Amino acid sequence: MIRLQALTKTYATPKGSVSAVDRVSLEVHEGETCVLLGPSGCGKTTTLRMINRLVVPTSGKIFLNGRDTDSVDPVELRRGIGYVIQQIGLFPNMTVAENIGVVPRLLGWDAVRRRRRAEELLSLLALPPADFADRYPNELSGGQAQRIGVARALAVDPPVLLMDEPFAALDPVNREAIQDEFLRMQRTLRKTILFVSHDIDEAVKMADRIAIFHAGRLVQFAPPDELLAHPADTFVAGFVGSDRTLKRLRLIRVREVLAPVGDRTFAMNAPHVSPDDDLRRVAALFLEHGNESLVCVDSSSRVLGVVTREAIAQRLALQDAQ
Ligand code: ADP
Ligand code: MG
C-alpha cells in the first residue's frame, strides 16, 4: 500500500548538511498501523511529511498503491491522505462541524452532506453530535479537540492516515481513553496508518508493526512482540527499556495460553480471570496471591480453562526461539 524506497532528506545548514532521513525503506500493508518510533530529531516527522509531499525528498521514492507519488499532483495526493498533528490546528472562529467540513467544502460538498458527515464522525468518536457539533474549539477539552482533529482528517474518508504524535499533549488518563477509542474505530475502518510516537508503550499498544528510527536511519521494523523479544541492537534495547518482558506480557491475552483444568484444585477465594485479560494482570495476580495457576471464566461465570505460570513461560519462549 505505502512503500518507501531508500527515502532520503538532506538539509543544507550553515554547519554543513544534515541527514534528516537516511535511505529509509519500508512497506506498510493496507489496513495496517505502522508506528514510527524514536527519540526527538530522528527523522519521524520528516518521513511523514515526505509522504504527503509537504517536504520534497532529496532522493528515493514513495509508492502509494504502486503509484510513484512523484507523478501525482500534490493536492490530489493529499485528498487521499488524512493528516493529524499534535498541535491540532482547529480554526477558532469555526464550529466543530465547520472544522470537520473544511476539506469536504473545498471539494464542493453541499451544506447538508457536510453536516451529515460531521455528525456521523462525531458519533464514531463518541462525541454526541447534538452536544458538540455547534461548539467552538475554545469550548472543548484537550482530548475532545484532539478527537475533532481525528474527525477532520477522516472527513472525506481517505484510505491513508498520517498521525504525528497525535495524543502526546494529553494527560495519561485522556491519552489512554483516546487510544482505546481509536483502536476500536480502526477495527471497523481499517485505514492504512503511519503513526509517529516517541513513547514505546503507545507504540506497543497501537502498532501492528513498529519502525524504530535512530539518527535518520531505520534500525528495526518488526511487530511489537518480536521487537520486545529481540531488539536488533543496543540502541533498540535501550529504547524499549529493561522491563520489556512486562511489556510483552501486556500484549498477550489469557485466551492465547488457556489449558484444560484437569485435576487441579483451587482455593475458594482465588480470583478469576477473563479470556481478554492480559498476562501482565495475570502475573500481578500470581504475585499477589502466590499461586501457580488461575481459573479463567467467561462473562456468565462458565469455566473456560486455566492459565498457568508454565504456559506463560512457554508462550514467551516460543517467540524467543524464532
Ligand atoms: P522527529 O520528528 O523525529 O523529532 P524531524 O523529522 O523533525 O525529527 O527532524 C529530523 C532532523 O532533521 C533533526 O535533526 C532536525 O533538526 C532536522 N530538520 C528538520 N527539518 C529541518 C529543516 N527545515 N532544516 C534543517 N534541518 C531540519
Ligand atoms: Mg516530530
Short mmCIF file of all heavy atoms in Angstrom, two decimals, residues 103-150:
data_model
loop_
_atom_site.label_atom_id
_atom_site.label_comp_id
_atom_site.label_asym_id
_atom_site.label_seq_id
_atom_site.Cartn_x
_atom_site.Cartn_y
_atom_site.Cartn_z
N VAL A 103 -12.40 20.27 4.44
CA VAL A 103 -11.99 19.63 3.18
C VAL A 103 -13.21 19.28 2.31
O VAL A 103 -13.23 19.57 1.11
CB VAL A 103 -11.08 18.40 3.43
CG1 VAL A 103 -10.70 17.73 2.10
CG2 VAL A 103 -9.82 18.83 4.17
N PRO A 104 -14.28 18.69 2.90
CA PRO A 104 -15.48 18.45 2.09
C PRO A 104 -15.96 19.72 1.37
O PRO A 104 -16.37 19.68 0.21
CB PRO A 104 -16.52 17.99 3.13
CG PRO A 104 -15.70 17.32 4.19
CD PRO A 104 -14.43 18.13 4.26
N ARG A 105 -15.85 20.85 2.05
CA ARG A 105 -16.28 22.11 1.45
C ARG A 105 -15.41 22.48 0.23
O ARG A 105 -15.92 22.89 -0.80
CB ARG A 105 -16.18 23.20 2.50
CG ARG A 105 -16.81 24.48 2.09
CD ARG A 105 -16.92 25.37 3.29
NE ARG A 105 -17.38 26.67 2.88
CZ ARG A 105 -17.65 27.64 3.73
NH1 ARG A 105 -17.49 27.42 5.02
NH2 ARG A 105 -18.07 28.79 3.29
N LEU A 106 -14.09 22.27 0.41
CA LEU A 106 -13.18 22.52 -0.73
C LEU A 106 -13.55 21.63 -1.92
O LEU A 106 -13.35 22.01 -3.07
CB LEU A 106 -11.73 22.23 -0.32
CG LEU A 106 -11.08 23.24 0.61
CD1 LEU A 106 -9.70 22.73 1.04
CD2 LEU A 106 -10.94 24.59 -0.08
N LEU A 107 -14.07 20.44 -1.59
CA LEU A 107 -14.42 19.50 -2.66
C LEU A 107 -15.82 19.75 -3.21
O LEU A 107 -16.30 19.02 -4.06
CB LEU A 107 -14.32 18.06 -2.15
CG LEU A 107 -12.92 17.59 -1.74
CD1 LEU A 107 -12.95 16.11 -1.36
CD2 LEU A 107 -11.91 17.81 -2.87
N GLY A 108 -16.49 20.78 -2.67
CA GLY A 108 -17.78 21.16 -3.23
C GLY A 108 -18.99 20.42 -2.68
O GLY A 108 -20.06 20.45 -3.27
N TRP A 109 -18.82 19.74 -1.52
CA TRP A 109 -19.99 19.07 -0.92
C TRP A 109 -20.98 20.15 -0.47
O TRP A 109 -20.57 21.19 0.05
CB TRP A 109 -19.59 18.27 0.31
CG TRP A 109 -18.71 17.08 0.07
CD1 TRP A 109 -17.91 16.83 -1.02
CD2 TRP A 109 -18.53 15.98 0.96
NE1 TRP A 109 -17.24 15.66 -0.85
CE2 TRP A 109 -17.60 15.10 0.35
CE3 TRP A 109 -19.05 15.63 2.21
CZ2 TRP A 109 -17.19 13.92 0.96
CZ3 TRP A 109 -18.64 14.45 2.82
CH2 TRP A 109 -17.73 13.61 2.19
N ASP A 110 -22.29 19.87 -0.60
CA ASP A 110 -23.27 20.86 -0.13
C ASP A 110 -23.39 20.81 1.39
O ASP A 110 -22.90 19.88 2.04
CB ASP A 110 -24.63 20.68 -0.82
CG ASP A 110 -25.29 19.36 -0.46
OD1 ASP A 110 -25.35 19.03 0.74
OD2 ASP A 110 -25.75 18.66 -1.39
N ALA A 111 -24.05 21.84 1.95
CA ALA A 111 -24.09 22.01 3.40
C ALA A 111 -24.74 20.82 4.12
O ALA A 111 -24.29 20.41 5.19
CB ALA A 111 -24.84 23.30 3.75
N VAL A 112 -25.78 20.27 3.51
CA VAL A 112 -26.49 19.15 4.16
C VAL A 112 -25.57 17.93 4.26
O VAL A 112 -25.48 17.29 5.31
CB VAL A 112 -27.77 18.79 3.35
CG1 VAL A 112 -28.43 17.54 3.93
CG2 VAL A 112 -28.73 19.97 3.35
N ARG A 113 -24.87 17.65 3.19
CA ARG A 113 -23.97 16.50 3.18
C ARG A 113 -22.81 16.70 4.16
O ARG A 113 -22.41 15.76 4.86
CB ARG A 113 -23.45 16.30 1.74
CG ARG A 113 -22.65 15.02 1.58
CD ARG A 113 -22.26 14.80 0.13
NE ARG A 113 -21.32 13.69 0.02
CZ ARG A 113 -20.43 13.56 -0.96
NH1 ARG A 113 -20.36 14.48 -1.92
NH2 ARG A 113 -19.61 12.52 -0.98
N ARG A 114 -22.29 17.91 4.22
CA ARG A 114 -21.19 18.20 5.16
C ARG A 114 -21.63 18.00 6.59
O ARG A 114 -20.93 17.43 7.41
CB ARG A 114 -20.70 19.64 4.98
CG ARG A 114 -20.03 19.93 3.66
CD ARG A 114 -19.16 21.17 3.74
NE ARG A 114 -19.84 22.37 4.18
CZ ARG A 114 -20.38 23.28 3.36
NH1 ARG A 114 -20.33 23.12 2.05
NH2 ARG A 114 -20.96 24.36 3.84
N ARG A 115 -22.83 18.49 6.89
CA ARG A 115 -23.37 18.38 8.24
C ARG A 115 -23.58 16.91 8.62
O ARG A 115 -23.23 16.47 9.70
CB ARG A 115 -24.69 19.15 8.31
CG ARG A 115 -25.39 19.09 9.64
CD ARG A 115 -24.70 20.00 10.63
NE ARG A 115 -25.27 19.85 11.97
CZ ARG A 115 -25.01 20.68 12.96
NH1 ARG A 115 -24.22 21.71 12.79
NH2 ARG A 115 -25.53 20.48 14.15
N ARG A 116 -24.12 16.16 7.68
CA ARG A 116 -24.39 14.75 7.94
C ARG A 116 -23.08 14.01 8.22
O ARG A 116 -22.98 13.21 9.15
CB ARG A 116 -25.11 14.12 6.74
CG ARG A 116 -26.09 13.02 7.16
CD ARG A 116 -26.75 12.30 6.00
NE ARG A 116 -27.32 13.14 4.99
CZ ARG A 116 -26.99 13.07 3.68
NH1 ARG A 116 -26.09 12.22 3.24
NH2 ARG A 116 -27.56 13.88 2.80
N ARG A 117 -22.07 14.30 7.42
CA ARG A 117 -20.77 13.64 7.60
C ARG A 117 -20.15 14.03 8.95
O ARG A 117 -19.61 13.19 9.66
CB ARG A 117 -19.83 14.03 6.45
CG ARG A 117 -18.45 13.42 6.52
CD ARG A 117 -18.48 11.90 6.45
NE ARG A 117 -17.13 11.33 6.45
CZ ARG A 117 -16.86 10.10 6.85
NH1 ARG A 117 -17.83 9.30 7.28
NH2 ARG A 117 -15.63 9.64 6.82
N ALA A 118 -20.23 15.31 9.32
CA ALA A 118 -19.68 15.75 10.60
C ALA A 118 -20.37 15.02 11.75
O ALA A 118 -19.70 14.55 12.68
CB ALA A 118 -19.85 17.27 10.74
N GLU A 119 -21.69 14.90 11.66
CA GLU A 119 -22.42 14.23 12.75
C GLU A 119 -22.06 12.75 12.83
O GLU A 119 -21.89 12.19 13.92
CB GLU A 119 -23.93 14.42 12.55
CG GLU A 119 -24.33 15.88 12.75
CD GLU A 119 -25.83 16.13 12.66
OE1 GLU A 119 -26.58 15.19 12.32
OE2 GLU A 119 -26.24 17.28 12.95
N GLU A 120 -21.90 12.14 11.66
CA GLU A 120 -21.52 10.72 11.61
C GLU A 120 -20.15 10.51 12.29
O GLU A 120 -19.98 9.60 13.10
CB GLU A 120 -21.45 10.34 10.13
CG GLU A 120 -21.23 8.91 9.78
CD GLU A 120 -21.23 8.79 8.24
OE1 GLU A 120 -22.31 8.87 7.64
OE2 GLU A 120 -20.15 8.65 7.65
N LEU A 121 -19.21 11.40 11.97
CA LEU A 121 -17.87 11.25 12.54
C LEU A 121 -17.86 11.55 14.03
O LEU A 121 -17.16 10.88 14.80
CB LEU A 121 -16.88 12.16 11.80
CG LEU A 121 -16.48 11.65 10.42
CD1 LEU A 121 -15.85 12.76 9.60
CD2 LEU A 121 -15.53 10.46 10.53
N LEU A 122 -18.64 12.53 14.47
CA LEU A 122 -18.71 12.82 15.90
C LEU A 122 -19.23 11.61 16.66
O LEU A 122 -18.69 11.23 17.70
CB LEU A 122 -19.60 14.05 16.15
CG LEU A 122 -18.98 15.39 15.74
CD1 LEU A 122 -20.01 16.51 15.82
CD2 LEU A 122 -17.79 15.72 16.65
N SER A 123 -20.26 10.97 16.11
CA SER A 123 -20.79 9.77 16.77
C SER A 123 -19.74 8.68 16.83
O SER A 123 -19.56 8.03 17.86
CB SER A 123 -22.01 9.23 16.02
OG SER A 123 -22.98 10.23 15.90
N LEU A 124 -19.02 8.51 15.73
CA LEU A 124 -17.97 7.49 15.66
C LEU A 124 -16.92 7.73 16.75
O LEU A 124 -16.36 6.79 17.31
CB LEU A 124 -17.32 7.57 14.27
CG LEU A 124 -16.35 6.48 13.89
CD1 LEU A 124 -17.10 5.17 13.68
CD2 LEU A 124 -15.64 6.85 12.59
N LEU A 125 -16.65 8.99 17.07
CA LEU A 125 -15.62 9.31 18.05
C LEU A 125 -16.20 9.56 19.44
O LEU A 125 -15.57 10.16 20.30
CB LEU A 125 -14.83 10.54 17.58
CG LEU A 125 -13.90 10.16 16.43
CD1 LEU A 125 -13.63 11.33 15.51
CD2 LEU A 125 -12.59 9.60 16.98
N ALA A 126 -17.43 9.06 19.66
CA ALA A 126 -18.06 9.11 20.98
C ALA A 126 -18.29 10.53 21.48
O ALA A 126 -18.22 10.80 22.68
CB ALA A 126 -17.26 8.29 21.99
N LEU A 127 -18.55 11.46 20.55
CA LEU A 127 -18.92 12.82 20.94
C LEU A 127 -20.34 13.05 20.41
O LEU A 127 -20.51 13.18 19.19
CB LEU A 127 -17.96 13.84 20.32
CG LEU A 127 -16.50 13.76 20.73
CD1 LEU A 127 -15.64 14.68 19.87
CD2 LEU A 127 -16.33 14.13 22.20
N PRO A 128 -21.35 13.08 21.28
CA PRO A 128 -22.73 13.22 20.79
C PRO A 128 -22.88 14.49 19.93
O PRO A 128 -22.60 15.60 20.41
CB PRO A 128 -23.56 13.33 22.07
CG PRO A 128 -22.70 12.71 23.13
CD PRO A 128 -21.27 12.96 22.73
N PRO A 129 -23.29 14.34 18.67
CA PRO A 129 -23.37 15.49 17.76
C PRO A 129 -24.25 16.62 18.32
O PRO A 129 -23.90 17.79 18.17
CB PRO A 129 -23.99 14.91 16.49
CG PRO A 129 -23.76 13.46 16.55
CD PRO A 129 -23.67 13.08 17.98
N ALA A 130 -25.36 16.25 18.95
CA ALA A 130 -26.28 17.29 19.45
C ALA A 130 -25.56 18.20 20.44
O ALA A 130 -25.85 19.39 20.55
CB ALA A 130 -27.49 16.65 20.11
N ASP A 131 -24.60 17.64 21.13
CA ASP A 131 -23.88 18.39 22.16
C ASP A 131 -22.66 19.13 21.58
O ASP A 131 -22.29 20.21 22.04
CB ASP A 131 -23.44 17.39 23.25
CG ASP A 131 -22.95 18.07 24.51
OD1 ASP A 131 -22.94 19.31 24.54
OD2 ASP A 131 -22.57 17.34 25.44
N PHE A 132 -22.02 18.53 20.57
CA PHE A 132 -20.71 19.05 20.16
C PHE A 132 -20.66 19.77 18.81
O PHE A 132 -19.78 20.60 18.59
CB PHE A 132 -19.68 17.91 20.14
CG PHE A 132 -19.25 17.50 21.52
CD1 PHE A 132 -19.89 16.46 22.19
CD2 PHE A 132 -18.23 18.19 22.17
CE1 PHE A 132 -19.50 16.11 23.48
CE2 PHE A 132 -17.84 17.84 23.45
CZ PHE A 132 -18.48 16.80 24.11
N ALA A 133 -21.57 19.45 17.90
CA ALA A 133 -21.43 19.95 16.52
C ALA A 133 -21.32 21.47 16.44
O ALA A 133 -20.58 22.01 15.62
CB ALA A 133 -22.59 19.46 15.66
N ASP A 134 -22.04 22.18 17.32
CA ASP A 134 -22.09 23.64 17.19
C ASP A 134 -21.21 24.36 18.22
O ASP A 134 -21.31 25.58 18.38
CB ASP A 134 -23.55 24.10 17.28
CG ASP A 134 -24.36 23.49 16.14
OD1 ASP A 134 -23.88 23.55 14.98
OD2 ASP A 134 -25.44 22.92 16.41
N ARG A 135 -20.36 23.61 18.91
CA ARG A 135 -19.43 24.27 19.83
C ARG A 135 -18.28 24.89 19.06
O ARG A 135 -17.97 24.49 17.94
CB ARG A 135 -18.82 23.25 20.79
CG ARG A 135 -19.79 22.75 21.82
CD ARG A 135 -19.00 22.14 22.96
NE ARG A 135 -19.86 21.30 23.77
CZ ARG A 135 -19.45 20.72 24.90
NH1 ARG A 135 -18.19 20.86 25.31
NH2 ARG A 135 -20.28 19.97 25.59
N TYR A 136 -17.60 25.81 19.71
CA TYR A 136 -16.37 26.37 19.16
C TYR A 136 -15.17 25.70 19.84
O TYR A 136 -15.31 25.20 20.97
CB TYR A 136 -16.34 27.89 19.35
CG TYR A 136 -17.26 28.57 18.36
CD1 TYR A 136 -18.61 28.77 18.67
CD2 TYR A 136 -16.79 28.95 17.11
CE1 TYR A 136 -19.48 29.34 17.74
CE2 TYR A 136 -17.65 29.53 16.18
CZ TYR A 136 -18.99 29.72 16.50
OH TYR A 136 -19.81 30.27 15.57
N PRO A 137 -14.01 25.69 19.18
CA PRO A 137 -12.85 24.99 19.75
C PRO A 137 -12.51 25.38 21.19
O PRO A 137 -12.11 24.53 21.98
CB PRO A 137 -11.73 25.35 18.78
CG PRO A 137 -12.42 25.49 17.47
CD PRO A 137 -13.75 26.13 17.79
N ASN A 138 -12.72 26.65 21.54
CA ASN A 138 -12.38 27.04 22.92
C ASN A 138 -13.36 26.49 23.95
O ASN A 138 -13.19 26.69 25.15
CB ASN A 138 -12.22 28.56 23.06
CG ASN A 138 -13.53 29.30 22.83
OD1 ASN A 138 -14.59 28.68 22.66
ND2 ASN A 138 -13.47 30.62 22.85
N GLU A 139 -14.39 25.78 23.48
CA GLU A 139 -15.34 25.15 24.41
C GLU A 139 -15.08 23.64 24.53
O GLU A 139 -15.94 22.89 24.98
CB GLU A 139 -16.78 25.38 23.93
CG GLU A 139 -17.14 26.86 23.86
CD GLU A 139 -18.42 27.12 23.06
OE1 GLU A 139 -18.60 26.53 21.99
OE2 GLU A 139 -19.23 27.93 23.54
N LEU A 140 -13.87 23.23 24.10
CA LEU A 140 -13.53 21.80 24.13
C LEU A 140 -12.37 21.55 25.08
O LEU A 140 -11.49 22.40 25.22
CB LEU A 140 -13.10 21.33 22.73
CG LEU A 140 -14.10 21.49 21.59
CD1 LEU A 140 -13.39 21.19 20.26
CD2 LEU A 140 -15.29 20.56 21.77
N SER A 141 -12.34 20.35 25.68
CA SER A 141 -11.14 19.93 26.43
C SER A 141 -10.06 19.51 25.42
O SER A 141 -10.35 19.35 24.23
CB SER A 141 -11.48 18.75 27.34
OG SER A 141 -11.66 17.59 26.55
N GLY A 142 -8.83 19.31 25.92
CA GLY A 142 -7.74 18.89 25.04
C GLY A 142 -8.07 17.58 24.32
O GLY A 142 -7.83 17.45 23.11
N GLY A 143 -8.61 16.63 25.05
CA GLY A 143 -8.94 15.33 24.47
C GLY A 143 -10.04 15.45 23.42
O GLY A 143 -9.98 14.80 22.37
N GLN A 144 -11.03 16.29 23.72
CA GLN A 144 -12.12 16.48 22.75
C GLN A 144 -11.60 17.15 21.48
O GLN A 144 -11.92 16.73 20.37
CB GLN A 144 -13.24 17.32 23.37
CG GLN A 144 -14.02 16.56 24.44
CD GLN A 144 -14.81 17.49 25.35
OE1 GLN A 144 -14.67 18.72 25.30
NE2 GLN A 144 -15.62 16.90 26.21
N ALA A 145 -10.75 18.17 21.65
CA ALA A 145 -10.20 18.87 20.49
C ALA A 145 -9.39 17.89 19.63
O ALA A 145 -9.44 17.92 18.39
CB ALA A 145 -9.33 20.04 20.93
N GLN A 146 -8.64 17.00 20.29
CA GLN A 146 -7.82 16.04 19.55
C GLN A 146 -8.72 15.09 18.76
O GLN A 146 -8.40 14.71 17.64
CB GLN A 146 -6.93 15.29 20.52
CG GLN A 146 -5.72 14.64 19.87
CD GLN A 146 -4.80 15.64 19.18
OE1 GLN A 146 -4.34 16.60 19.79
NE2 GLN A 146 -4.53 15.44 17.91
N ARG A 147 -9.86 14.72 19.36
CA ARG A 147 -10.82 13.86 18.63
C ARG A 147 -11.35 14.58 17.39
O ARG A 147 -11.53 13.97 16.35
CB ARG A 147 -11.99 13.48 19.53
CG ARG A 147 -11.67 12.39 20.53
CD ARG A 147 -12.88 12.14 21.41
NE ARG A 147 -12.63 11.13 22.43
CZ ARG A 147 -11.95 11.34 23.56
NH1 ARG A 147 -11.45 12.53 23.81
NH2 ARG A 147 -11.76 10.37 24.42
N ILE A 148 -11.59 15.89 17.52
CA ILE A 148 -12.08 16.65 16.35
C ILE A 148 -10.99 16.67 15.27
O ILE A 148 -11.28 16.58 14.08
CB ILE A 148 -12.47 18.10 16.73
CG1 ILE A 148 -13.46 18.11 17.89
CG2 ILE A 148 -13.04 18.85 15.52
CD1 ILE A 148 -14.72 17.36 17.67
N GLY A 149 -9.72 16.76 15.71
CA GLY A 149 -8.62 16.71 14.74
C GLY A 149 -8.64 15.39 13.97
O GLY A 149 -8.42 15.36 12.75
N VAL A 150 -8.93 14.30 14.67
CA VAL A 150 -9.02 12.99 14.00
C VAL A 150 -10.22 12.96 13.07
O VAL A 150 -10.13 12.53 11.91
CB VAL A 150 -9.11 11.85 15.05
CG1 VAL A 150 -9.37 10.51 14.37
CG2 VAL A 150 -7.82 11.78 15.88
#
